[in-house]
Structure formats: C-alpha cells, structure tokens
Amino acid sequence: DIQMTQSPATLSASVGDRVTITCRASEGISGWLAWYQQKPGKAPKLLIYEASTVEPGVPSRFSGRGSGTEFTLTISSLQPDDSATFYCQQYHSFPYTFGQGTKLEIK
Amino acid sequence: HLQLQESGPGLVRPSETLSLSCSVSGGSMSGDTHYWGWIRQSPGQGLDWLASLHYTGNTHYNPSLEGRVTITADMSANQFSLRLSSVTAADTAIYYCVREFGYWGQGILVTVSS
C-alpha cells in the first residue's frame, strides 16, 4: 500500500496568513492526488484533484502543487471559514489511501 | 446535480453482517466512467477507503478488511451496496458512499454493539 504522510498534524494561524500543508507519498503517484476539507459533522469536501486542479466553486485562495511524492496545499490568505481538517488522498493505485489529516485552527 | 444518500441500520451486533445501500439521484450510474465506492471514518479518526466499483463490473477492495467486504451495484435501480461481515467494535464508524471524488453522501453512523 502507498503510505501518505501529512504535516503538520495541527496548525494554528491567523486570518490573512499564508498556510501550507504538505503531503508525502511513500512512492511515486504522479499527479494522482486529491485534497479534501472536512468540517465537524460534515462529509469531506473536495478542494483539489490531480494535485493542482481546483474543483469548481472552491475559493481561489486554495491551490495545490506537486508531483511524484511531494505535494502541497496552500491557502493564500486564511479566512475564518477555513477552520477545518484537511486530508490528502492518493488515487494512483488501489488501495486508495489518505493522509492522517491536518487540523487547522484559526487564532 | 448528483446526490448520494446512504441507508441502513444504525446498530449491528458483533459477528453479524453490516449492510448499507447508497441511492444515487440526479444522474445515472450506468455509463458513468467514475468509480463508486465506500469510505469510513471511525469516531474522531481519519478516513479509510473500503471498496470501489466501476460500471463495467470491476471491483477493488481494501486488503486490510481481509475478505470481509463486498460491494455490489444495481444499475437499474441506480444504487449500490456494501456488505461487511463478521463485524466487531472496530467497525463502528460513519460510512460514506462516494462517487470519485467530488460527490459524497452525508454519511451514516453505524455502531457495532450487543
């Protein structure tokens, strides 16, 4: 199985900050990576697929980069509504696997 | 707009089989080239992919479930199902049905307890 490792596990930042979350794959997955945002009591919401393609309707402050084994999700200017847990997922090969999550707190 | 809705019992006894269904509306499963699947989230934990099914009949399962899981579809009814046998307390989770990757059901909490 491909292991996905996210960092940091928790993150505290202020409104307006630029925030970056990293996801590393244990082997190359090309660009087959998705990012999700999950708020308490809700299903995850797709933000980005194919590593850098932003899902329609997702605010432009969210962006993704990377290929191979290292990927990043960046929020260019943090907003109060961005408080959530973020997950990466590889879909290069089955079994699909997720990172353990990054909990983002707004100071 | 595609919508998915899980249904099934909220309580399952240990050693029994968990059965869930996912009804799809706003689109047709047959001919949709994406995979349909199930993902679960144990209380306070991360996301675990369980199984996926393609309209061609291809299926994929998480080997960590050691053969306990089956995913099937009834394309004419526009729904698909999950069966997980020999459940234990460790299978207590919110179960989500999904269409890769942007469409998720609201989730259904299944508790395994006697």
Side-chain angles (χ1 to χ4, degrees), chain A residues 29-94:
Chain A
I29 59 169
S30 188
W32 304 115
L33 184 105
W35 288 98
Y36 298 90
Q37 177 191 53
Q38 187 179 32
K39 296 185 177 182
K42 299 292 187 182
K45 172 188 173 184
L46 179 67
L47 298 175
I48 289 170
Y49 60 96
E50 291 182 17
S52 61
T53 303
V54 180
E55 178 76 350
V58 172
S60 59
R61 63 182 180 274
F62 290 93
S63 64
R65 295 188 65 179
S67 182
T69 62
E70 187 149 340
F71 302 85
T72 58
L73 171 71
T74 297
I75 307 173
S76 60
S77 179
L78 198 62
Q79 299 301 303
D81 187 52
D82 297 337
S83 177
T85 300
F86 294 83
Y87 295 94
C88 61
Q89 179 207 358
Q90 68 81 18
Y91 53 100
H92 172 269
S93 59
F94 291 104

